[in-house]
Amino acid sequence: MYLRTLLFILLCSPFCFTKGQTDVYLNIDHKFDKSNFVLGQIYIDDNNQAIQITRLSYYIHQVRLQHDAGQHQVIQNHFLIDSEVSNYFLGNLSTTVEALESVAFNLGVNTIYTPNNFNQGHPLAESSMYSDNEQDYVLIAIEGLVDSDANQIPDKDFKLLATSPALSQNISVNAKSAAENNRLNINLNANIANLLKNIDLQAVGIQENSGLDNQTLCDNAKEENVFSNVSTTGVTELVSPQNQIYIDSRLSIAPTIHYKFFTSEQLDMTITNLNGSFFIQRFNLFPEGNFYLDQNLASGLYIVIFTSPRGIRQSRRFIVRN
């Protein structure tokens, strides 16, 4: 009897275990144009205004995967994306995925409930992403400061809290990647500069609604191609996230620039203001060092840019106050 049972298990095992599993992860890097996006960093928007974003969050749900010659899988859950978090576990598929061909998802929320209906830790339990005034979830929340007097220093509050299911967007991206060890990584960039196109942040004030500016914000997510596949060309290797540029502004009239690049090349450095009327240049610098600005600069926003013969180009903005 024992031998017959064992033989039955051995014969069945190829059929019982042919269906695999795949863990799905979303890796999303937020950018501002070609720079890595960081909360609190100063950027120049589409209207040539200095802005400083202090909050960026949004919901996605119903993630749809196309893989392996047109097969489809759907992950229904809601996910709250925060610009300071890059990696999200989306779920486990009961089938084996070899190669991702494209991904689509809904930007927004699909529920009749409120945060009080969800347990703590659930993405939809986040009360800061719910509008009591509108009695609806916030699809996208972005707030910060914008320069109001053309001195290149952000000083005026703005807040865009987009509500209403009518503003939801269906996003599709030709995101391609191969699964490894039953793990599939969806690698995306999200360009925040494109998200803010055609919006005058000086005129925004505080908007917690489904009005025109918030409608433009949500429309941009699709029409301005905010989300894109992560490039795998050599450029991404040259612009390495490991490279470091740090501005010590404790002496605000003459900051010190600390830099460290993971390359064997020598670097050229340019420091300029936004209109290019002032600049400092240094050549053939070692990949790691410090540069002290020993001259009193006029108040305003400046950019330091490091370049190399092979194509490294990384920059950081900083403010001088005197």
Side-chain angles (χ1 to χ4, degrees):
M1 179 67 179
Y2 173 79
L3 290 175
R4 284 199 301 269
T5 303
L6 180 60
L7 181 61
F8 176 78
I9 293 173
L10 290 174
L11 290 172
C12 288
S13 59
F15 302 97
C16 295
F17 298 101
T18 52
K19 202 168 187 180
Q21 291 185 334
T22 304
D23 293 327
V24 182
Y25 289 82
L26 172 64
N27 304 317
I28 184 163
D29 289 328
H30 292 86
K31 305 285 187 181
F32 199 96
D33 287 330
K34 296 182 180 180
S35 301
N36 290 329
F37 175 76
V38 180
L39 288 182
Q41 180 69 46
I42 295 175
Y43 301 98
I44 305 301
D45 71 2
D46 200 42
N47 296 312
N48 203 32
Q49 299 171 151
I51 64 171
Q52 184 179 41
I53 297 171
T54 56
R55 178 193 180 193
L56 174 62
S57 301
Y58 52 93
Y59 279 109
I60 67 171
H61 70 98
Q62 201 177 53
V63 179
R64 303 175 296 283
L65 311 178
Q66 179 175 310
H67 65 95
D68 302 312
Q71 298 182 58
H72 293 86
Q73 305 291 331
V74 180
I75 301 172
Q76 297 283 359
N77 298 339
H78 285 83
F79 303 94
L80 178 56
I81 308 299
D82 186 286
S83 65
E84 293 188 296
V85 179
S86 297
N87 308 110
Y88 301 85
F89 175 61
L90 300 188
N92 179 273
L93 302 178
S94 60
T95 188
T96 297
V97 174
E98 297 292 340
L100 179 69
E101 296 168 349
S102 66
V103 64
F105 54 86
N106 291 341
L107 180 70
V109 175
N110 181 23
T111 182
I112 61 173
Y113 299 109
T114 70
N116 294 330
N117 296 108
F118 298 93
N119 294 327
Q120 185 176 4
H122 191 285
L124 294 177
E126 180 55 58
S127 59
S128 68
M129 292 295 287
Y130 188 82
S131 170
D132 291 325
N133 294 335
E134 298 293 313
Q135 289 293 290
D136 216 334
Y137 276 92
V138 175
L139 285 63
I140 305 177
I142 183 166
E143 55 187 275
L145 301 167
V146 58
D147 176 18
S148 65
D149 51 12
N151 69 349
Q152 302 173 350
I153 299 176
D155 58 350
K156 182 181 180 181
D157 290 326
F158 72 86
K159 181 184 290 188
L160 288 167
L161 303 178
T163 63
S164 175
L167 300 186
S168 296
Q169 299 291 328
N170 181 18
I171 309 295
S172 298
V173 182
N174 288 325
K176 302 183 185 301
S177 60
E180 294 184 9
N181 300 320
N182 296 322
R183 171 171 174 149
L184 177 67
N185 291 314
I186 305 170
N187 303 311
L188 300 181
N189 284 334
N191 188 346
I192 308 309
N194 287 358
L195 190 66
L196 294 172
K197 280 192 173 182
N198 306 310
I199 300 174
D200 183 0
L201 293 177
Q202 281 196 39
V204 161
I206 297 176
Q207 296 191 36
E208 186 175 331
N209 54 36
S210 56
L212 181 60
D213 285 327
N214 277 318
Q215 181 177 340
T216 301
L217 182 74
C218 294
D219 287 347
N220 283 346
K222 181 176 183 178
E223 296 174 4
E224 297 295 341
N225 299 316
V226 167
F227 298 93
S228 61
N229 188 38
V230 171
S231 171
T232 57
T233 65
V235 175
T236 56
E237 297 174 3
L238 295 175
V239 184
S240 169
Q242 292 181 303
N243 296 339
Q244 301 166 13
I245 306 173
Y246 171 68
I247 312 296
D248 184 351
S249 299
R250 285 176 292 181
L251 183 58
S252 61
I253 61 173
T256 300
I257 300 169
H258 306 275
Y259 58 92
K260 181 178 182 180
F261 283 74
F262 290 81
T263 178
S264 59
E265 295 183 279
Q266 291 186 314
L267 304 171
D268 295 339
M269 180 185 69
T270 301
I271 301 171
T272 181
N273 59 6
L274 292 187
N275 59 22
S277 61
F278 168 87
F279 64 91
I280 298 172
Q281 288 186 306
R282 296 292 184 271
F283 302 99
N284 300 321
L285 301 175
F286 289 112
E288 181 177 359
N290 308 304
F291 183 77
Y292 173 66
L293 286 163
D294 57 357
Q295 32 192 315
N296 293 333
L297 305 181
S299 294
L301 183 62
Y302 292 80
I303 305 172
V304 56
I305 305 168
F306 288 90
T307 59
S308 77
R310 285 188 60 232
I312 288 177
R313 180 180 174 86
Q314 290 189 232
S315 64
R316 184 165 295 277
R317 295 179 173 88
F318 62 95
I319 292 177
V320 171
R321 296 184 176 92
N322 55 27

